[in-house]
């Protein structure tokens, strides 16, 4: 049977214990691994591996010695309970061994869970699991988690009272982070809110979101927009050490100042809807303190700097960008 989308996520959270097997495949190994961990934990419980009810095999070993799969599937453990045979890094070369195992599979045998990389619809493994009466097949793609998946992840971490604006920020964060990083961030948020009966807010999400180069670039831009010229030099040295290019800084600065200009021209326009929580309040304060005329002058300076950076000028690019940002910070005062 073929599973897709939300149905696939729901099945991994609560797989059928009477099924013969499950195939998980996809290009993103982290996403496949997270689904595999979830499915195995649901099938054998938290103590399953310690009780030796999980057998691990590599696809290469099964290809060389197909009987390993059959033996692991039929083996009876010392501890009672459901068992799983996990075959990792599989390819279509193990399809004959899985076919033979499915032919002899009986209720009470270990369930066969196979993970693989990118497989096509014509893959022998995909066809085998899709056509089997009780086995399932799930292709995992690079789509960000849905609202339901995020709510499920938060629920497992003990977070159920979430402000709508915080959920919007979490959805945006899920699109930017790798699945593993996002799960770690959710666990960090849950620990941060432990014993706190108030709803999760956008400020909580921002406080716990992982620091990235983009966030540090934003720190420089925010310092400039607030007239803190003394902080620009130190922040620039840090970004330069990380390999951030002057043109990148210029692009971020232009984007921010265009947002401020849009807020001044139309405080309830599209730019306002793209910002939420503390970020919106901070941007509104900056926009009001600059005013439309000075923001237009700031954008003119940034456009001129961008053209110079992209030209054949021999001036040190980072020094040129730093001087422009300091001039902007002075304009704010």
């Amino acid at each position: 049977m073929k599973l897709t989308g939300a149905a696939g996520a729901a099945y991994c959270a609560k797989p059928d214990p009477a099924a013969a097997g499950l195939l998980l495949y996809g290009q993103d190994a982290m996403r496949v691994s997270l689904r595999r961990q979830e499915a195995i934990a649901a099938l054998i419980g938290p103590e399953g591996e310690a009780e030796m009810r999980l057998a691990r095999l590599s696809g290469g070993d099964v290809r060389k010695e197909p009987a390993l799969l059959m033996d692991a599937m039929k083996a009876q453990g010392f501890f009672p309970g459901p068992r799983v045979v996990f075959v990792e890094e599989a390819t279509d070369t193990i399809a004959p061994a899985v076919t033979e195992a499915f032919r002899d599979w009986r209720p009470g045998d270990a369930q066969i869970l196979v993970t693989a990389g990118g497989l096509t619809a014509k893959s022998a493994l995909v066809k085998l699991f899709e056509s089997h009466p009780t086995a399932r097949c799930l292709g995992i793609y690079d789509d960000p988690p849905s609202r339901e998946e995020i709510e499920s992840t938060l629920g497992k971490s003990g977070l159920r009272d979430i402000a709508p604006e915080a959920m919007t920020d979490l959805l945006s964060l899920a699109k930017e982070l790798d699945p593993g990083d996002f799960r770690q961030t959710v666990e960090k948020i849950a620990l941060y809110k432990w014993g706190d009966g108030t709803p999760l807010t956008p400020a909580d999400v921002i406080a716990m979101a992982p620091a990235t180069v983009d966030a540090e670039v934003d720190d420089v831009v925010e310092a400039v927009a607030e007239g803190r010229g003394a902080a620009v030099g130190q922040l620039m040295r840090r970004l330069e050490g990380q390999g951030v290019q002057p043109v990148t800084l210029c692009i971020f600065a232009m984007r921010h100042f265009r947002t401020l200009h849009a807020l001044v021209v139309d405080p309830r326009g599209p730019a306002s809807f793209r910002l939420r929580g503390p970020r919106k309040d901070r941007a509104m304060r900056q926009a009001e303190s600059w005013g439309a005329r000075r923001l237009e002058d700031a954008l003119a300076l940034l456009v001129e700097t961008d053209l110079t950076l992209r030209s054949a000028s021999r001036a040190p690019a980072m020094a040129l960008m730093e001087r422009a940002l300091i001039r902007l910070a002075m304009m704010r005062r």
Side-chain angles (χ1 to χ4, degrees):
M1 180 186 300
K2 181 179 181 180
L3 299 172
T4 58
Y11 184 84
C12 288
K14 192 176 181 180
D16 181 2
L22 172 65
L23 169 65
L24 302 172
Y25 67 93
Q27 295 285 358
D28 192 324
M30 175 59 75
R31 294 175 192 269
V32 173
S33 177
L34 289 173
R35 287 289 179 227
R36 181 261 301 170
Q37 293 173 23
E38 186 178 31
I40 290 178
L43 284 168
I44 64 175
E47 300 300 323
E49 187 165 7
E51 295 177 353
M52 297 177 288
R53 290 187 284 113
L54 174 64
R56 295 175 179 267
L57 300 172
S58 72
D61 289 341
V62 173
R63 177 180 58 81
K64 294 175 184 176
E65 196 172 347
L68 288 174
L69 180 58
M70 184 74 74
D71 292 343
M73 183 186 75
K74 293 291 185 181
Q76 294 299 317
F78 181 78
F79 294 92
R83 294 176 298 109
V84 171
V85 179
F86 165 43
V87 184
E88 59 184 332
E89 298 179 353
T91 63
D92 281 344
T93 57
I94 73 163
V98 178
T99 301
E100 189 66 24
F102 276 167
R103 187 176 295 121
D104 286 351
W105 187 90
R106 299 291 182 272
D109 290 342
Q111 187 163 157
I112 301 171
L113 194 153
V114 179
T115 60
L119 300 176
T120 66
K122 296 180 180 179
S123 160
L125 277 176
V126 170
K127 290 182 177 179
L128 175 60
F129 277 80
E130 284 184 353
S131 61
H132 192 277
T134 65
R136 269 73 167 185
C137 177
L138 173 61
I140 299 172
Y141 305 101
D142 295 345
D143 301 326
S146 64
R147 177 184 291 268
E148 291 75 18
E149 292 177 74
I150 292 175
E151 288 175 345
S152 174
T153 303
L154 291 169
K156 290 175 184 176
S157 300
L159 282 172
R160 291 180 174 81
D161 193 359
I162 306 160
E165 296 83 2
M167 177 56 72
T168 300
D169 289 345
L170 284 169
L171 286 167
S172 299
L173 196 62
K175 294 176 182 178
E176 297 173 5
L177 299 179
D178 291 334
D181 291 340
F182 180 70
R183 177 166 291 191
Q184 288 179 353
T185 301
V186 170
E187 292 171 355
K188 185 178 176 183
I189 291 172
L191 185 63
Y192 175 73
K193 294 291 287 183
W194 181 263
D196 185 349
T198 61
L200 182 69
T201 65
D204 297 329
V205 176
I206 292 171
M208 294 296 104
T212 64
V213 170
D214 285 1
E216 294 194 10
V217 172
D218 284 340
D219 288 342
V220 177
V221 176
E222 296 286 0
V224 171
E226 292 169 358
R228 294 184 282 114
V232 172
Q234 182 180 357
L235 292 169
M236 290 284 286
R237 298 289 81 76
R238 187 190 308 168
L239 290 172
E240 187 175 14
Q242 295 178 13
V244 176
Q245 297 300 310
V247 171
T248 301
L249 281 168
C250 195
I251 290 171
F252 271 75
M254 280 198 289
R255 185 174 67 184
H256 186 74
F257 277 85
R258 282 176 182 146
T259 299
L260 297 184
H261 187 264
L263 288 173
V264 168
V265 173
D266 186 1
R268 296 186 179 182
S272 175
F273 292 116
R274 287 196 294 269
L275 299 171
R276 293 185 179 277
R279 289 182 60 199
K280 181 176 181 179
D281 296 338
R282 189 176 188 179
M284 290 297 294
R285 289 195 299 269
Q286 292 172 3
E288 290 170 1
S289 66
W290 274 84
R293 179 63 182 271
R294 279 196 296 177
L295 284 170
E296 288 166 3
D297 292 341
L299 285 169
L301 173 60
L302 286 169
V303 169
E304 180 184 347
T305 304
D306 184 56
L307 290 173
T308 304
L309 289 172
R310 297 172 190 272
S311 69
S313 172
R314 294 185 179 181
M318 190 59 83
L320 187 70
M321 189 68 231
E322 182 175 351
R323 186 179 67 177
L325 292 179
I326 291 173
R327 284 179 62 191
L328 284 174
M330 293 175 65
M331 286 171 60
R332 158 67 174 75
R333 291 182 292 179

